[in-house]
């Protein structure tokens, strides 16, 4: 499709006020040390024992520092820690790919101070009451104890008392691709119902010592870190999820025409772009959350940390050649098929430039309207929602609200010579 002349809405840059209470690096270290002692791990772990520490693939705030501090605390007991990837099928479902994923999060052997033992081999621990097989990473089960660390947040595919956090990491992450496939094959309701049951089965049948749950503020900073004893995983996570949802940033409108997303990525969300932010799910039996309702989503690029895994591109309606040229189809298809969400990896209509993508959305996917009436927003990614660009029609609705600051006034959208947005 060749470029064509079309008037675009003017855009302004705004800042919305979000919950802000970062621990900072020093605070993260102190919190992990405090919680490690509070739940009695200094006494439960014996000198000479081998302790497996599970780390996932998400861009959890300060996760490398959390893991590093856990390694140091385990060493203080005289035990021997190692880290294992607890990320289901991510990293192309290969041991090497999962180590590479950890490296992009700053979790390397040189930084954390211990070995990383990565394998896709699992041991079956039996089945749940519903007949779901229960698997656990072979290296982890051979250790004397297991500790996991993960962020508590709303899941991108379903709503429940327990969504994304410690129980999900146990139920899907530590069981590698086999566990991920077994649970995801049951759809969104299967995730909701089986994550707590499979997680509890692992707690009952393996030597899980503790979980370290983090909660983030609206700016993607760790704001709380809580050590959780295995007998308290479910109860504690139910309460922490309520708190995490309260802090979760959102787009400032519930209904609008166009959302331009500068980048998607596995380090941003398990679904590439967070379904809780964009409102789309596109899984069998579950197409969307009640809000927001967005007519057209345009995805422009993919993070380097994704290593070509373009899961989430299928949540958009339009994309550009820059993103598509980075797609690793093996990694993408492995992830979306394991997760029973093939639409997440479907490549949408692909345009040659950002300008052409926006023009196409207005010309073909919206009803005819004056540019000043088009409700359009542009965000960096679904984790970064404090500063965003909004069109004239959106600005009119927002500028009188509390917590909204106009940073730059309305101006024409600027592109470089190749048609890319500045």
């Amino acid at each position: 499709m060749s470029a064509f002349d079309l008037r675009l809405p003017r855009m302004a840059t705004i800042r919305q006020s979000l919950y802000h209470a970062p621990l900072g690096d020093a605070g993260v270290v102190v919190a992990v040390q405090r919680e490690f002692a509070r739940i009695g791990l200094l006494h439960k772990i014996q000198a000479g024992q081998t302790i497996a520490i599970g780390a996932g693939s998400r861009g959890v705030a300060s996760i490398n520092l959390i893991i590093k501090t856990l390694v140091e605390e385990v060493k203080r007991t005289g035990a021997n820690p190692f880290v294992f990837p607890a990320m289901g099928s991510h990293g192309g479902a290969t041991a090497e790919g999962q180590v590479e994923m950890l490296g992009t999060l700053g979790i390397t052997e040189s930084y954390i101070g211990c070995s990383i033992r990565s394998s896709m081999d699992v041991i079956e621990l039996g089945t749940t009451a519903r007949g779901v097989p229960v698997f656990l990473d072979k290296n982890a089960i051979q250790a004397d104890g297991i500790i996991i660390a993960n962020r508590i947040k709303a899941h991108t595919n379903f709503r429940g008392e327990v969504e994304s956090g410690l129980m999900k990491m146990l139920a899907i992450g530590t069981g590698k691709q086999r566990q991920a496939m077994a649970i995801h094959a049951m759809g969104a309701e299967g995730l909701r119902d089986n994550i707590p049951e499979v997680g509890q089965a692992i707690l009952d049948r393996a030597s899980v010592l503790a979980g370290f749950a983090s909660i983030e503020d609206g700016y993607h900073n760790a704001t709380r870190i809580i050590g959780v004893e295995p007998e308290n995983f479910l109860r504690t996570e139910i309460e922490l999820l309520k708190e995490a949802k309260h802090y979760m940033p959102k787009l400032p409108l519930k209904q609008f025409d166009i959302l331009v997303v500068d980048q998607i990525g596995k380090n941003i969300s398990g679904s590439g772009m967070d379904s809780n932010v964009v409102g789309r799910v596109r899984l069998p039996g579950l197409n969307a959350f009640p809000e927001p309702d967005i007519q057209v989503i345009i995805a422009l690029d993919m993070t380097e940390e994704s290593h070509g895994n373009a899961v989430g591109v299928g949540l958009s309606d339009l994309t550009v050649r820059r993103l598509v040229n980075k797609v690793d189809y093996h990694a993408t298809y492995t992830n979306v098929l394991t997760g029973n969400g093939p639409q997440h990896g479907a490549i949408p209509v692909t345009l040659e430039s950002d300008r052409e993508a926006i023009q196409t959305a207005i010309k073909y996917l919206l009803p005819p309207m004056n540019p000043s009436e088009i409700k359009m927003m542009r965000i960096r990614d679904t984790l970064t929602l404090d500063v965003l660009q909004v069109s004239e029609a959106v600005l009119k609705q927002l500028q009188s609200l509390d917590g909204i600051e106009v940073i730059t006034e309305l101006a024409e959208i600027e592109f470089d010579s190749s048609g890319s947005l500045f």
Side-chain angles (χ1 to χ4, degrees):
M1 182 182 296
S2 60
F4 43 82
D5 292 330
L6 188 70
R7 289 181 59 204
L8 303 181
R10 295 185 300 160
M11 303 287 285
T13 303
I14 67 167
R15 177 182 288 112
Q16 62 171 341
S17 179
L18 307 173
Y19 176 73
H20 188 221
L23 287 173
D25 286 353
V28 167
V29 172
V30 169
V32 173
Q33 292 173 336
R34 180 191 66 237
E35 294 297 292
F36 196 95
R38 183 185 64 80
I39 61 176
L41 290 180
L42 290 172
H43 306 293
K44 291 178 183 177
I45 299 174
Q46 304 300 312
Q49 288 185 324
T50 301
I51 305 299
I53 302 173
S57 55
R58 300 289 187 266
V60 177
S62 302
I63 189 60
N64 59 335
L65 184 55
I66 292 171
I67 297 297
K68 176 182 175 68
T69 308
L70 285 172
V71 167
E72 292 171 348
E73 291 301 290
V74 169
K75 285 183 176 180
R76 284 181 57 201
T77 69
N80 304 305
F82 70 88
V83 165
F84 71 99
M87 60 179 75
S89 66
H90 299 175
T94 68
E96 298 78 15
Q98 296 202 340
V99 171
E100 191 173 0
M101 285 291 296
L102 291 181
T104 63
L105 303 176
I107 302 173
T108 62
E109 291 184 345
S110 60
Y111 177 77
I112 61 177
C114 73
S115 64
I116 296 174
R117 301 182 189 177
S118 181
S119 171
M120 299 305 293
D121 294 335
V122 293
I123 302 295
E124 186 169 350
L125 303 180
T127 61
T128 68
R130 297 174 190 262
V132 179
V134 179
F135 301 99
L136 184 59
D137 180 284
K138 183 177 181 179
N139 288 318
I141 202 168
Q142 291 175 344
D144 296 304
I146 301 167
I147 298 172
I148 62 169
N150 199 19
R151 168 183 59 198
I152 306 295
K153 68 179 291 291
H155 199 279
T156 56
N157 296 346
F158 68 90
R159 293 287 180 263
E161 284 190 321
V162 169
E163 297 183 17
S164 185
L166 298 179
M167 294 298 275
K168 176 175 176 284
M169 175 172 272
L170 278 180
I172 296 180
T174 64
K176 302 296 183 173
Q177 186 180 26
R178 291 188 69 183
Q179 190 73 78
M181 290 183 68
I183 295 181
H184 280 292
M186 300 176 185
E189 290 186 359
L191 281 169
R192 181 195 65 202
D193 297 338
N194 287 292
I195 280 177
E197 291 190 8
V198 174
Q200 189 59 53
I202 293 174
L203 290 168
D204 293 340
R205 303 170 194 177
S207 55
V208 179
L209 298 176
F212 282 75
S214 65
I215 295 178
E216 296 177 5
D217 67 13
Y219 296 85
H220 188 42
N221 301 303
T223 189
R224 284 188 68 198
I225 297 174
I226 305 94
V228 187
E229 303 94 331
E231 63 271 19
N232 294 328
F233 266 40
L234 185 60
R235 177 181 59 82
T236 302
E237 189 164 334
I238 289 172
E239 293 304 313
L240 293 179
L241 179 59
K242 297 174 185 176
E243 182 177 350
K245 285 186 175 182
H246 181 68
Y247 300 152
M248 184 174 64
K250 299 177 182 179
L251 293 169
L253 279 188
K254 295 181 180 180
Q255 186 175 31
F256 56 100
D257 301 312
I258 300 174
L259 177 66
V260 178
V261 182
D262 283 359
Q263 58 179 1
I264 65 172
K266 286 298 295 185
N267 59 314
I268 292 167
S269 170
S271 55
M273 60 176 90
D274 194 335
S275 298
N276 297 289
V277 173
V278 301
R280 296 183 178 181
V281 181
R282 290 185 175 169
L283 290 174
L286 184 62
N287 188 50
F289 291 143
E291 58 185 47
D293 179 13
I294 306 169
Q295 290 292 103
V296 183
I297 297 179
I298 304 172
L300 298 181
D301 208 343
M302 175 170 42
T303 62
E304 292 184 10
E305 292 87 346
S306 297
H307 295 283
N309 186 342
V311 62
V313 69
L315 295 177
S316 62
D317 304 286
L318 302 172
T319 189
V320 296
R321 187 70 53 195
R322 179 173 65 253
L323 188 158
V324 174
N325 286 344
K326 296 179 180 179
V327 176
D328 179 328
Y329 290 94
H330 172 73
T332 302
Y333 293 164
T334 297
N335 194 177
V336 300
L337 293 175
T338 300
N340 194 30
Q343 285 192 348
H344 286 197
I347 304 298
V349 172
T350 302
L351 288 310
E352 297 304 318
S353 70
D354 302 354
R355 177 194 284 115
E356 193 171 346
I358 295 171
Q359 290 175 331
T360 299
I362 294 172
K363 183 175 177 65
Y364 292 103
L365 303 182
L366 296 182
M369 65 180 79
N370 189 291
S372 64
E373 299 173 337
I374 296 172
K375 296 179 181 179
M376 175 171 153
M377 294 191 210
R378 178 190 176 192
I379 61 174
R380 181 174 182 270
D381 54 60
T382 55
L383 269 182
T384 312
L385 299 179
D386 55 330
V387 176
L388 57 160
Q389 291 184 333
V390 300
S391 65
E392 183 175 354
V394 174
L395 186 62
K396 287 179 180 178
Q397 289 189 242
L398 297 181
Q399 59 186 359
S400 62
L401 299 180
D402 292 338
I404 299 294
E405 175 191 358
V406 178
I407 300 175
T408 64
E409 298 298 328
L410 290 166
E412 300 297 326
I413 299 176
E414 294 188 23
F415 302 92
D416 64 17
S417 58
S418 67
S420 295
L421 284 163
F422 280 112

